[in-house]
């Protein structure tokens, strides 16, 4: 996995999002910010070819992220939670694993990101919603 | 058995819904007094022409004057001065002292009233309800050319005596004044007009046996035709069994052996059930807004992002589109149209929207993003498009009309089976909490 270093501590979700964007770009993803999906917005949408990965970024509130990710099951091939907490609790890891979500952990002090749980391919996509989503996302500029 | 179906008036943009799904779906419309004072011509036209003379009730909203002045004032965009909202100011001036004296200065208190101002403001409040819209309607060209109705024909369905909100801590403070107002209203009203007492309470009052008994004893002695009740922010979907039971018992007590009308101003399917066969007519009528207003805070809390919500018939609840879509997908009900119509809905709106293709359920959730610049960067908020809002609302109204009829005419076995079916269909997908309201409703209403 490629890691990115920055010289700034992650203090906000916005900063976390920027760190994750750099991380995803280094893996050749096209990344968009604040992507609407059924009345909420995914923090990040990373696309590569026809594959869509949606990411919710939280400093530490993984439970809220898990709730938000549920809506993304209708449209995303892969779903990740980006987190900047110092530690990853067992409940979080097992909960995400059970749902098939992945975890990108970004060290808040070093800004080093790595995938500590790989997302499983989501099989709950509803095609009409996915088609609507992919048509809509084209109108959103990349985050760089 | 029949349940009177009322709808509260929101905005003029919604006026076409008051004849949907049929012209005779609604017994009447409940109009807030400040709306009546502010836009009488528009409302008169709405009542006379758009709804073919639907019954109406003007809620005098005298309680608005007892809350913090910030709720009745706004900041002038140009001058930045704090001013009283014009519709409330008009109402205060109509009612006269002490309403007109204190408006924008301080909340009204029982001590602000004298014997004379109780008489005077009560008369003005009742006259306002009787004549403010009817005098415009009777003089309108539509009436003169086509309807030829008298001003008496155009009177509201019932008058409402001035009233105030009471919770457990303010009950004793406000009760006496309310009774005095009602007694005065009884003296003033003409024989041909109905008079209701409005009872606006916190659930704590009804749940407190002593307060409830005192309340019933005080109000049941009054020679009124009925009651308009409003329990502050009482969400029947999350209320406890005991609270639900207390509400039903309260309704039954006010009904006084079914001699008085009782309208619940903000009720969901639970209240509709309570008004029907299962609840043995604990209420005579239930009101709600166009897709909102099944519960409402006495002190309004507005704002928030509007989400597209779909009313799930067997759950008897509006849920966010994304949740409904997830549930239906998981249950496999979006695989073909027959499953959709059998398990979800086959109302006219759903039939027309889906056009025999369950993929068109998407239309109940189409949104468009709007961008806002915040200090942290651009934020996109997804809003339902107007067509989405329209079909969600129309579907809601279709289902509501069905619920009123079902509750009034189905057997108790059928009504309970419907609740059981909802529990069985949804519990495994949305969990125990998601269906607990159905279980609580069933427990609260069955003996």
């Amino acid at each position: 996995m490629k890691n990115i270093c920055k010289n700034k501590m992650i203090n906000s979700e916005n900063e976390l999002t920027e760190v994750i964007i750099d991380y995803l770009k280094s893996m050749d993803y096209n990344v968009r910010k604040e992507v609407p999906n059924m009345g909420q917005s995914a923090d990040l949408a990373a696309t590569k070819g026809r594959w869509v990965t949606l990411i919710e970024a939280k400093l530490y509130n993984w439970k809220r992220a898990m709730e938000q990710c549920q809506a993304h099951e209708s449209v995303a091939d892969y779903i990740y939670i980006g987190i900047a907490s110092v530690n990853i609790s067992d409940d979080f890891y097992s909960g995400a694993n059970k749902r098939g979500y992945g975890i990108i952990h970004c060290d808040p002090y070093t800004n080093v990101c790595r995938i500590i749980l790989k997302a499983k391919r989501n099989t709950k996509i509803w095609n009409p919603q996915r088609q609507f989503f992919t048509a809509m996302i084209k109108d959103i500029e990349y985050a760089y | 058995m029949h349940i009177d179906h009322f709808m509260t008036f929101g905005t003029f943009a919604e006026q076409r819904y008051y004849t949907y799904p049929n012209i005779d779906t609604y017994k009447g419309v409940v109009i807030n007094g400040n709306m009546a004072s502010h836009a009488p011509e528009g409302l008169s036209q709405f009542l006379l022409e758009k709804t073919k003379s639907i019954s109406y009730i003007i809620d005098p909203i005298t309680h608005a004057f007892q809350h913090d002045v910030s709720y009745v004032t706004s900041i002038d965009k140009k001058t930045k001065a704090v001013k009283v909202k014009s519709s409330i100011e008009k109402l205060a001036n109509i009612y006269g002292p002490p309403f007109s004296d204190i408006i924008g200065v301080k909340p009204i208190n029982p001590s602000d009233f004298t014997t004379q101002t109780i008489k005077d403001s009560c008369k003005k409040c009742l006259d306002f309800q009787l004549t403010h819209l009817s005098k415009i309607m009777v003089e309108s060209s539509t009436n003169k050319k086509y309807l030829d109705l008298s001003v008496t024909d155009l009177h509201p369905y019932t008058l409402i005596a001035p009233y105030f909100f009471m919770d457990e801590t303010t009950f004793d403070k406000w009760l006496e004044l309310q009774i005095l107002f009602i007694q005065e209203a009884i003296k003033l009203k003409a024989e041909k007009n109905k008079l209701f007492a409005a009872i606006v309470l916190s659930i704590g009052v009804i749940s407190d046996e002593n307060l409830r008994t005192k309340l019933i004893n005080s109000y049941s002695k009054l020679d009124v035709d009925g009651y308009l009740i409003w329990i502050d922010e009482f969400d029947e979907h999350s209320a406890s069994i005991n609270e639900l039971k207390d509400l039903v018992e309260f309704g039954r007590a006010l009904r006084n052996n079914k001699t008085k009308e009782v309208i619940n101003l903000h009720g969901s399917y639970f209240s509709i059930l309570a008004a029907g066969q299962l609840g043995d007519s604990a209420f005579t009528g239930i009101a709600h807004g166009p897709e909102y207003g099944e519960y409402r805070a006495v002190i309004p809390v507005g704002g928030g992002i509007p989400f597209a919500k779909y009313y799930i018939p067997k759950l008897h609840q509006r849920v966010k589109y994304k949740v409904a879509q997830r549930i239906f997908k998981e249950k496999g009900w979006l695989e073909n149209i027959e499953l959709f119509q059998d398990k979800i809905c086959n109302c006219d709106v759903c039939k027309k929207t889906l056009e025999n293709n369950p993929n068109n359920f998407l239309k109940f959730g189409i949104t468009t993003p709007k961008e806002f610049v915040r200090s942290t960067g651009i934020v996109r908020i997804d809003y339902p498009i107007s067509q989405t809002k329209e079909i969600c609302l129309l579907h809601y109204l279709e289902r509501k009309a069905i619920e009123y009829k079902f509750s009034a005419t189905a057997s108790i076995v059928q009504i309970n089976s419907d609740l059981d079916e909802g529990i069985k269909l949804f519990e495994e997908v949305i969990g125990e909490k998601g269906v607990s309201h159905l279980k609580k409703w069933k427990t609260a209403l069955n003996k």
Side-chain angles (χ1 to χ4, degrees):
Chain A
M1 311 287 167
K2 288 189 183 179
N3 299 322
I4 301 294
C5 270
K6 280 200 169 170
N7 295 323
K8 195 174 183 295
M9 184 174 163
I10 299 172
N11 281 316
S12 68
E13 279 180 15
N14 201 45
E15 288 172 5
L16 172 61
T17 304
E18 293 300 323
V19 167
I20 296 175
I21 288 173
D22 284 345
Y23 176 62
L24 292 168
K25 276 165 62 184
S26 74
M27 293 197 286
D28 299 322
Y29 282 92
N30 291 316
V31 187
R32 293 170 170 93
K33 286 167 71 170
E34 285 284 318
V35 178
N37 178 31
M38 291 189 288
Q40 64 183 77
S41 283
D43 289 325
L44 295 169
T47 52
K48 196 187 270 189
R50 69 176 184 90
W51 302 101
V52 174
T53 299
L54 293 184
I55 299 119
E56 291 291 347
K58 290 278 179 279
L59 286 183
Y60 40 79
N61 193 354
W62 59 267
K63 288 184 184 174
R64 177 79 185 117
M66 296 269 281
E67 285 171 13
Q68 290 172 324
C69 285
Q70 206 166 24
H72 303 328
E73 291 174 9
S74 294
V75 302
D77 298 298
Y78 299 94
I79 299 166
Y80 276 87
I81 295 170
I83 199 92
S85 56
V86 173
N87 297 308
I88 303 292
S89 70
D90 289 341
D91 284 346
F92 175 26
Y93 191 95
S94 61
N97 191 32
K98 198 173 169 184
R99 289 210 196 165
Y101 303 159
I103 301 175
I104 299 172
H105 178 250
C106 300
D107 188 299
Y109 300 104
T110 63
N111 292 189
V112 170
C113 295
R114 61 190 185 100
I115 291 175
I116 61 167
L117 174 65
K118 206 171 170 196
K120 298 184 183 84
R121 172 90 184 276
N122 174 35
T123 57
K124 294 181 181 176
I125 290 175
W126 188 45
N127 282 331
Q129 200 69 54
R130 167 62 175 253
Q131 284 164 19
F132 178 81
F133 179 83
T134 48
M136 177 272 303
I137 200 177
K138 287 173 188 166
D139 293 333
I140 299 175
E141 288 179 1
Y142 293 132
Y144 38 83
Chain B
M1 182 184 273
H2 177 79
I3 304 169
D4 289 336
H5 190 168
F6 288 88
M7 199 146 71
T8 53
F9 189 85
T11 67
F12 283 102
E14 294 161 342
Q15 56 186 310
R16 65 189 178 281
Y17 303 124
Y18 292 81
T19 53
Y20 188 89
N22 295 304
I23 194 134
D24 54 1
T25 297
Y26 306 101
K27 169 79 175 186
V29 57
V30 184
I31 299 168
N32 275 353
N34 59 323
M35 177 70 92
S37 71
H38 194 61
E41 290 83 9
L43 280 170
S44 301
Q45 188 182 24
F46 158 70
L47 290 170
L48 210 50
E49 296 172 27
K50 300 283 170 63
T51 61
K52 302 287 187 280
S53 305
I54 194 172
S55 294
Y56 68 97
I57 298 171
I58 295 179
D59 178 347
I61 63 161
T62 41
H63 76 92
F65 300 94
Q66 78 182 107
H67 307 305
D68 187 275
V69 296
S70 61
Y71 297 109
V72 295
T73 54
S74 59
I75 297 175
D76 188 293
K77 282 178 186 169
K78 285 181 188 169
T79 66
K80 307 292 178 200
V82 175
K83 55 172 190 161
V84 179
K85 292 175 184 170
S86 60
S87 61
I88 298 289
E89 192 170 28
K90 281 180 192 170
L91 207 56
N93 290 332
I94 288 169
Y95 296 158
F99 297 97
S100 53
D101 294 336
I102 59 89
I103 186 66
V105 175
K106 70 174 192 75
I108 210 163
N109 265 297
S111 56
D112 294 320
F113 290 90
T114 63
T115 306
Q116 193 59 49
T117 57
I118 289 171
K119 280 186 179 170
D120 293 343
S121 61
C122 188
K123 183 173 189 317
K124 287 172 184 172
C125 179
L126 296 187
D127 284 345
F128 164 71
Q129 293 173 55
L130 263 179
T131 64
H132 202 68
L133 298 182
S134 59
K135 71 181 181 200
I136 296 174
M137 286 195 276
V138 80
E139 291 300 322
S140 72
S141 56
T142 301
N143 186 50
K144 287 184 172 175
K145 274 186 197 170
Y146 304 111
L147 300 172
D148 196 27
L149 296 168
S150 71
V151 74
T152 310
D153 295 327
L154 294 164
H155 278 169
Y157 176 73
T158 180
L159 299 171
I160 308 286
Y163 68 90
F164 300 93
F165 168 66
M166 299 185 285
D167 68 18
E168 307 96 292
T169 65
T170 61
F171 180 82
D172 289 322
K173 177 183 172 185
W174 286 103
L175 181 64
E176 188 188 343
L177 175 67
Q178 307 224 55
I179 301 301
L180 288 172
F181 263 119
I182 297 166
Q183 287 169 339
E184 187 60 36
I186 291 167
K187 288 184 217 166
L188 287 167
K189 75 148 189 104
E191 180 96 18
K192 60 183 184 297
N193 295 124
K194 280 188 186 180
L195 176 71
F196 278 25
I199 308 177
V200 181
L201 304 165
S202 67
I203 187 61
V205 172
I206 298 178
S207 299
D208 182 315
E209 201 180 328
N210 288 333
L211 291 180
R212 188 172 74 238
T213 304
K214 197 171 173 184
L215 185 77
I216 302 290
N217 287 343
S218 301
Y219 279 84
S220 60
K221 289 176 186 144
L222 301 165
D223 187 22
V224 293
D225 299 287
Y227 305 92
L228 190 71
I229 69 169
W230 176 8
I231 312 303
D232 180 35
E233 215 166 6
F234 185 63
D235 183 356
E236 293 168 357
H237 287 82
S238 58
S240 69
I241 293 173
N242 282 337
E243 287 172 340
L244 294 167
K245 279 184 176 176
D246 288 339
L247 175 65
V248 174
E249 286 314 309
F250 181 57
R252 286 196 183 121
L254 289 176
R255 285 276 275 135
N256 195 17
N257 295 317
K258 299 182 185 174
T259 57
K260 302 268 173 97
E261 293 180 59
V262 178
I263 300 173
N264 185 355
L265 193 54
H266 298 287
S268 73
Y269 184 57
F270 175 77
S271 282
I272 297 170
L273 288 177
Q277 300 281 4
L278 192 56
D280 194 25
S281 303
F283 306 116
T284 55
I286 310 297
H288 59 83
E291 218 190 350
Y292 53 82
E294 289 191 354
Y295 65 97
R296 195 171 177 90
V298 169
I299 294 179
V301 178
I305 299 165
F307 286 98
K309 289 187 178 177
Y310 183 79
Y311 192 80
I312 299 184
K314 289 278 182 219
L315 209 51
H316 299 283
Q317 187 172 28
R318 285 173 72 222
V319 302
K320 289 180 184 172
Y321 163 78
K322 62 183 179 182
V323 175
Q325 187 246 70
R326 176 176 64 82
I327 293 170
F328 299 161
K329 169 83 171 54
E330 213 162 307
K331 295 290 286 187
W333 295 340
L334 298 176
E335 285 174 17
N336 61 64
I337 193 66
E338 289 78 23
L339 270 172
F340 185 98
Q341 287 176 349
D342 182 41
K343 300 295 184 189
I344 305 171
C345 187
N346 68 342
C347 78
D348 288 345
V349 174
C350 286
K351 280 184 199 162
K352 195 175 164 188
T353 303
L354 267 60
E355 294 175 297
N356 287 324
N357 181 357
N359 287 347
N360 285 328
F361 181 69
L362 181 74
K363 293 180 184 177
F364 283 99
I366 293 181
T367 52
T368 188
K370 289 184 184 168
E371 291 187 359
F372 298 89
V373 178
R374 300 270 158 84
S375 57
T376 49
I378 290 176
V379 167
R380 281 188 194 89
I381 298 178
D382 227 12
Y383 290 91
I385 62 172
S386 54
Q387 291 95 320
T388 295
K389 286 191 282 189
E390 170 98 345
I391 56 171
C392 286
L393 170 50
L394 293 177
H395 163 75
Y396 171 84
L397 294 177
E398 289 266 357
R399 296 312 313 191
K400 278 289 135 187
I402 292 169
E403 284 179 348
Y404 278 75
K405 196 173 173 188
F406 182 71
S407 176
T409 58
S411 69
I412 290 176
V413 168
Q414 286 172 314
I415 294 169
N416 278 317
S417 287
D418 174 72
L419 294 172
D420 286 334
E421 199 183 344
I423 296 163
K424 194 176 156 194
L425 282 172
F426 292 101
E427 188 164 18
E428 59 169 0
V429 180
I430 57 176
E432 291 172 340
K433 199 167 177 209
V435 298
S436 69
H437 63 282
L438 298 174
K439 295 179 185 176
K440 285 190 268 186
W441 291 355
K442 210 179 154 201
T443 305
L445 288 165
N446 282 283
K447 287 166 193 160

